[in-house]
């Protein structure tokens, strides 16, 4: 059976590819007509027509209304007849259309749009990432989790599991909402991969010092202030959230706010959970002796508790680093030095003697 004879099979393929389409079904007919009740056709977002709901008389009308349904997301019942009631009281969801052919046949065709659900892309395998995947299902998003160690057991709510950042970035569209929840493991790499995508939202979960290091690194890697200004940092509405589940819900709420394009309304956090603003000054361009005049807007971030285990001190920024999970290290005089971010390691390696005193 060809795709043109199997609109439902094509519908499954389009759903898997997250492409919009409309399904038209004949629900009633009056002879003479070549259609019959139950006949179906699928119209994709480009106007390709597969299936049969009538000949050249009905098809252009169905195509037009199917594309309109894909655009506005609303189903409709088409009544196509030689004597439409164009002056009567309109019925909600019903569109009266004149049959353009001379035939006395009539059709009633139900046109239903199928639009891809928005996608929540969670990067990381932390407890917060797991909570975010569950929150994504709660707000009826498709959920994709990206991390080399992600598993179906850890993320039972995920629709898709990915291990490669390039593959993750390639699937992002205007209805994708990305949250980087690696919590210090590979924030820079994740943001560098997704910040220049079409995603409607990119959020970062990070502590004050960690966020400062990440943004400085991205600035030094060629990201402009306009690009960094699109980053939601901290991710989530300011609700005084503490636990991973609470933080995940605050992020889900902010994503919904962005999606619905409603004015921000953030209550003041309680005094016990007040956060100090971070004002980040952009790094000067390579080879420049002067810092640019513009600065990033203040960032308000929620510090995240450090993982348990042996800790080391980053000699550049003073942040504590978990030795067991540290991604950025170097060797100096026989000693391993640990850093919270690549930018700190880079500064140390450029002037090790300047910062070595902090190790003693």
């Amino acid at each position: 059976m060809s795709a043109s004879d199997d609109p439902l099979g094509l519908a499954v393929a389009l759903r898997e590819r997250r492409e919009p389409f409309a399904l038209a079904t004949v629900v009633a007919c009056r002879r003479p007509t070549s259609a019959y009740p139950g006949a179906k056709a699928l119209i994709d977002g480009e106007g390709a027509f597969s299936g049969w709901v009538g000949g050249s008389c009905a098809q252009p009308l169905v195509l037009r209304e199917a594309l309109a349904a894909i655009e506005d997301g609303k189903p409709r019942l088409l009544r196509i007849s030689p004597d439409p009631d164009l002056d009567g009281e309109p019925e909600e969801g019903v569109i009266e259309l004149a049959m353009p052919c001379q035939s006395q046949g009539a059709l009633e065709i139900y046109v239903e749009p199928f639009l891809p659900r928005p996608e929540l892309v969670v990067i990381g395998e932390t407890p917060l990432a797991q909570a975010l995947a569950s929150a994504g299902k709660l707000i009826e998003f498709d959920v994709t989790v990206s991390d080399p160690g992600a598993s179906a057991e850890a993320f039972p709510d995920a629709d898709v599991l990915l291990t490669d950042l390039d593959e993750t970035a390639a699937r992002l569209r205007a209805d994708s909402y990305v949250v980087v929840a690696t919590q210090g493991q590979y924030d820079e790499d994740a943001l560098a991969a997704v910040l220049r995508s079409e995603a409607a939202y990119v959020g970062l979960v990070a502590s004050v010092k960690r966020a400062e290091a990440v943004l400085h690194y991205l600035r030094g890697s060629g990201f402009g202030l306009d690009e960094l200004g699109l980053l939601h940092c901290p991710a989530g509405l300011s609700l005084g959230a503490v636990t991973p589940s609470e933080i995940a819900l605050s992020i889900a709420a902010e994503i919904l706010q962005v999606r619905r394009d409603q004015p921000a309304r953030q209550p003041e956090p309680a005094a016990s959970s007040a956060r100090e603003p971070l004002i980040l000054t952009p790094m000067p361009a390579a080879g420049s002796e002067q810092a640019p005049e513009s600065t990033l807007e203040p960032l308000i971030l929620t510090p995240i508790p450090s993982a348990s285990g042996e800790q080391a001190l980053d000699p550049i920024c003073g942040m504590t680093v978990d030795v067991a999970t540290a991604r950025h290290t170097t060797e100096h005089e026989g000693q391993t030095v640990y850093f919270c971010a690549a930018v700190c390691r880079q500064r140390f390696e450029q002037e090790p003697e300047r910062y070595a005193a902090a190790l003693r």
Side-chain angles (χ1 to χ4, degrees), residues 232-244:
H232 292 255
C233 184
L237 299 182
S238 180
L239 305 177
V242 176
T243 67

Side-chain angles (χ1 to χ4, degrees), residues 1 58 73 97 145 151 216 249 289 307 322 354:
M1 179 180 291
L97 298 169
V145 174
S151 66
H216 271 311
L249 286 175
E289 297 183 358
D322 290 305
R354 175 180 176 184

Side-chain angles (χ1 to χ4, degrees), residues 284-307:
S288 172
E289 297 183 358
Q290 286 188 327
E293 296 180 0
S294 57
T295 60
L296 287 176
E297 293 296 322
L299 301 176
I300 304 177
L301 305 104
T302 305
I304 298 170
S306 300

Side-chain angles (χ1 to χ4, degrees), residues 242-325:
V242 176
T243 67
S245 295
E246 292 173 348
I247 296 172
L249 286 175
S250 76
I251 295 172
E254 183 177 52
I255 287 173
L256 281 178
Q257 187 180 76
V258 171
R259 185 184 176 213
R260 303 302 184 189
D261 197 24
Q262 295 179 351
R265 182 179 181 275
Q266 299 191 9
E268 290 295 326
S272 59
S273 61
R275 299 172 293 181
E276 296 183 0
L278 164 67
I279 301 178
L280 179 64
T281 302
M283 294 178 66
S288 172
E289 297 183 358
Q290 286 188 327
E293 296 180 0
S294 57
T295 60
L296 287 176
E297 293 296 322
L299 301 176
I300 304 177
L301 305 104
T302 305
I304 298 170
S306 300
S308 59
E310 184 181 356
Q311 306 282 302
L313 186 69
D314 185 326
I316 303 299
C317 66
M319 184 176 178
T320 55
V321 181
D322 290 305
V323 170
T325 60

